[in-house]
Amino acid sequence: MKKRAVSILLTTAMTISLFTGCGGTEKTADASRAEGEAAAQNGGAKETQPEGENQTAPGDPVKITFWNSFTGADGDMLTDLVNRYNTENTDGITVEMDISPDFDSQLSTAFAAGTGPTMILSPSAYRFTYGDYLQNISDVFEKTSLDKADFIQSYLDYCSEGDNLYFVPFQVVGYYMYWNKDLFTAAGLDPEAPPSTWDEWADYAQKLTDESKNVYGSGISYDYAYQIAHIMQRFGGLAVTDENGSWKANFEDNDGYAEFLNMYQTLVQNGDNPLEADTDSMASAGQIGMTVGGPWVTAGLDTAGVNYGIGLIPLGDAGDMNSVEVLGFSVTTAASDVEKEAAYKFIQWWNTENAEGSSPALEWSLANGFPAYTYSVQEKDAYKASAKLSAMSAANPDAPTDFIVDSSFPGINAVIGDVIPEMINSVAFGSSSVEDALTKAQAAADKITADY
């Protein structure tokens, strides 16, 4: 496993984007957006207990600590669910959860001191930052009743390095296309037929734009690195790939990236895309015809009463993909064998159906609007009844899930935080040509890949 730690500051930025964005309680230009049918038979987990030589007898008290940074409304729900587990479980397990906005610094300080929590909930990219402090939990499917075949394999791959599994998925963070149906109707477009290609996107954007009403057809922000990354990846593939054991940056001479930047520049110059940072708020105000964002975008649209559709981002020349980020449960090296198996029981409970056919995993998806990572949850009637969740789960489960870089590349935060913003800003504000912007991005990315 490549365990070289990435910058703590950049990891913190990613944590803020994913965790506070999930709850929808923070609102900045970037941080608030936070960036199949192969189900096995009997996909839901059966209610059996983990087996193992260190298993405690029923009723033996075990206390485990659980750290995360879910400080928003979803944190309140997580607290309620943990309290429910503490009340319901008959294994004598008590989960002591600590939610902190300083989760990252708290965690790094604890690990440096040789301590730490039993279990954490974090982006799977923490396997790079804290790889030396996370246990291989591949045996979770042997020591619990969880069915590995029920978990979408591409999401498990995102949580793994080689044969080692470091996270059990908890939440999948993908990006999706949103369109304003009323604006489509006003422009003479079919409100039930969003663009399926980027050529159509540009064409629809021109038709949707209405300068007299301050309406823009396209809502791509120059200050939204995660959004830019998800879109440009459809055009030109991954920005960093593994080439015979070495990391290779792919900005310069990338025809797909050049096509995206030229499209964006044309949209801005034609007045079909605003030169604004916060296009999410504009979408909620009914000023954007089409945009791309995470599940949290629905909160603003719903509150504002916007009549909108949600679907998959159009693909491009890079082919089929389902780019996501995966958050998951992980067990740290601070946990004893007994504590590790207690953590396994909690993870099993989270993914196990009760007598009514529900589970915390299902409740979480329904309440917070994030797509499920198991086939069994996706097949639940309550899940399929949600048009939003059904649309988010329409992606090919076998499509590559790598987001902007090879999922094993530890420097993803530097690419998103340093390279992409400079590239898109230079094009948006005309300080560089598309060719020069990509050349500069290549040089910056080469410095990052050289560190790994």
Side-chain angles (χ1 to χ4, degrees), residues 19-83:
F19 285 148
T20 60
C22 296
T25 58
E26 301 278 339
K27 189 66 183 176
T28 64
D30 209 22
S32 69
R33 296 147 174 153
E35 26 191 33
E37 297 183 359
Q41 294 181 351
N42 302 319
K46 300 177 291 297
E47 292 192 11
T48 59
Q49 300 302 321
E51 298 178 357
E53 60 182 4
N54 293 309
Q55 181 178 335
T56 57
D60 285 353
V62 178
K63 183 182 295 183
I64 63 175
T65 52
F66 174 31
W67 292 4
N68 61 79
S69 66
F70 276 73
T71 56
D74 46 6
D76 294 336
M77 181 178 181
L78 186 58
T79 298
D80 290 342
L81 288 169
V82 169
N83 289 340

Side-chain angles (χ1 to χ4, degrees), residues 368-391:
N368 296 304
F370 287 86
Y373 48 84
T374 60
Y375 295 107
S376 57
V377 169
Q378 289 187 2
E379 287 302 311
K380 289 298 178 183
D381 289 341
Y383 188 94
K384 291 192 289 187
S386 168
K388 299 175 189 176
L389 291 174
S390 295

